[in-house]
Amino acid sequence: MRYRTLGRTGIEVSTHCLGTMMFGAVGNPDHEDGARIINAALDAGINFVDTADMYSAGECEEIVGKALRGRRDDVVLATKVHFPLGEGRNRSGNSRRWIVRAVEDSLRRLGTDWIDLYQVHRPDHTTDIEETLSVLSDLVRAGKIRAFGCSTFPAEDLVEAHHVAERRGLMRLRTEQPPYSVLARGVERSVLPTAQRLGMGVLTWAPLASGFLSGAYREGRAVDLTSGRAKLHPHRFDPAVPGNATKLAAVEQLALLAEEVGCTLPELAVAFPLVHPAVTSVIIGPRTMDQLTSLLKGADLLLDDAVLDRIDGIVAPGTDLYRADGVWQPPSLTERARRRRPAGERAAADGTV
């Protein structure tokens, strides 16, 4: 296992980060098995564990807390805040009111006195970024968290947060956690270069592109659209959809390349994000011990320029053939009123259409 410094925090983390989203009701409900998998990852040299309060509605944090008993000092522990927990208003978002409550709940579930990296899970444009940075800075001073960052923020939000912190004398976002894989390279255009210029650490998620790079979906094979991710988002997996056919064609070429390299397709997929100079660590999210073992086999895989050139020929740099589930979209895209002038203002100046 290799290690890198997480941005400018001075904290050394393994280049593989154990993602725990699949522990709990939404994945592996066996707490003891989840703890065994976490400890096996630590024994293999991983010292970086990422979770979130919304994973299985807090159950995942409880599993992580149980697993880390007796090993907490050796682990860089990251969790996240933003998504709704429970019914009622003001139980989500990036406000001071919610974050102060949420961090205490996470500390209790994790069974720890501090969180090494506390991340804002998604942007919240109903809350001033100054408000969010202010409360996070206060939590660092209070010793409840050591550093803070964000997840799936667009480049312009990273820049705004940086400038607000400078102007207001607040602590800065230290990390960004974007989706990044061979099939989802859009962050190479601006997010990764911006994070690099700002000195931020980057931990990437979805290296297997929701299973497309696991080998589970291949050309000519029937896809079960009644279970798993395919049931939730059938339009992203149905081979009859032209965009999915393009993804599957790329997967076939990547599988052939992996065979030539002498590794598996998942090993190639996990190794790819670590090549980018902005990336600190790649998150792997196993549900079973076999999946963990398989993913760790490629921990020492180094991709040379010839292989990377082949990958560029299959999926061009900065290109997204796949969009990860749950990726935040700005209101400028999701709200029609922000993309369309009022009907009476759409005509040209002379009254013609």
Side-chain angles (χ1 to χ4, degrees):
M1 188 63 62
R2 290 167 286 163
Y3 300 86
R4 294 173 178 171
T5 303
L6 187 62
R8 295 174 183 164
T9 65
I11 301 171
E12 287 194 13
V13 296
S14 50
T15 53
H16 284 51
C17 173
L18 182 68
T20 61
M21 186 176 71
M22 298 309 296
F23 298 148
V26 300
N28 184 345
D30 187 328
H31 286 209
E32 295 304 319
D33 191 41
R36 281 192 293 270
I37 294 169
I38 293 170
N39 278 283
L42 301 184
D43 292 340
I46 287 178
N47 76 335
F48 198 10
V49 177
D50 178 73
T51 187
D53 58 3
M54 59 86 66
Y55 294 164
S56 295
E59 183 184 8
C60 181
E61 286 187 325
E62 293 175 358
I63 295 171
V64 171
K66 293 175 183 177
L68 296 186
R69 288 173 185 166
R71 308 186 72 164
R72 177 66 185 89
D73 288 343
D74 299 322
V75 174
V76 178
L77 179 59
T79 192
K80 301 185 277 296
V81 60
H82 170 81
F83 286 106
L85 282 179
E87 300 294 332
R89 299 180 183 276
N90 299 310
R91 294 181 59 83
S92 64
N94 303 344
S95 69
R96 173 178 287 272
R97 187 182 193 277
W98 176 240
I99 288 176
V100 167
R101 163 71 182 275
V103 73
E104 295 293 347
D105 290 343
S106 285
L107 288 167
R108 172 178 47 79
R109 286 189 293 262
L110 290 165
T112 185
D113 295 328
W114 82 96
I115 294 164
D116 294 290
L117 177 63
Y118 198 49
Q119 301 157 100
V120 180
H121 211 155
R122 292 292 187 274
D124 175 8
H125 285 179
T126 68
T127 302
D128 195 320
I129 187 62
E130 181 180 351
E131 165 106 350
T132 303
L133 294 174
S134 175
V135 63
L136 293 172
S137 297
D138 288 346
L139 291 175
V140 173
R141 296 186 185 101
K144 296 182 185 295
I145 64 177
R146 298 293 187 256
F148 56 85
C150 55
S151 176
T152 320
F153 271 42
E156 61 269 24
D157 282 14
L158 299 180
V159 172
E160 180 188 6
H162 179 80
H163 288 317
V164 168
E166 282 193 333
R167 289 198 305 270
R168 300 301 187 189
L170 300 170
M171 296 180 183
R172 296 189 291 115
L173 294 171
R174 292 295 187 178
T175 62
E176 159 61 8
Q177 185 182 140
Y180 184 36
S181 72
V182 178
L183 298 183
R185 303 184 62 175
V187 293
E188 294 174 343
R189 290 181 176 273
S190 57
V191 172
L192 295 183
T194 298
Q196 192 173 13
R197 285 198 300 272
L198 296 178
M200 301 175 73
V202 174
L203 47 157
T204 66
W205 57 277
L208 300 184
S210 294
F212 274 98
L213 296 174
S214 71
Y217 306 102
R218 298 292 294 272
E219 277 189 330
R221 294 183 188 173
V223 176
D224 180 6
L225 298 177
T226 65
S227 64
R229 292 179 184 269
K231 180 179 180 180
L232 296 174
H233 306 282
H235 61 288
R236 297 181 185 173
F237 295 87
D238 186 350
V241 175
N244 295 334
T246 301
K247 285 182 280 191
L248 291 171
V251 168
E252 291 304 313
Q253 296 181 66
L254 292 166
L256 179 60
L257 176 59
E259 185 177 346
E260 294 177 12
V261 171
C263 67
T264 66
L265 179 59
E267 289 170 3
L268 179 74
V270 171
F272 173 78
L274 291 170
V275 173
H276 198 287
V279 174
T280 310
S281 186
V282 59
I283 297 173
I284 57 173
R287 182 176 55 84
T288 67
M289 188 70 77
D290 286 344
Q291 290 175 354
L292 173 67
T293 301
S294 174
L295 291 170
L296 288 179
K297 284 181 180 177
D300 59 352
L301 177 62
L302 300 175
L303 304 180
D304 61 27
D305 287 342
V307 172
L308 294 170
D309 288 343
R310 292 275 300 278
I311 292 175
D312 288 350
I314 298 169
V315 181
T319 300
D320 282 331
L321 297 185
Y322 155 88
R323 188 171 70 83
D325 298 341
V327 170
W328 180 84
Q329 293 290 301
S332 58
L333 296 181
T334 59
E335 297 178 14
R336 292 191 300 176
R338 300 199 184 202
R339 294 183 283 106
R340 302 176 183 179
R341 289 180 179 273
E345 299 179 7
R346 295 176 191 174
D350 61 0
T352 61
V353 176

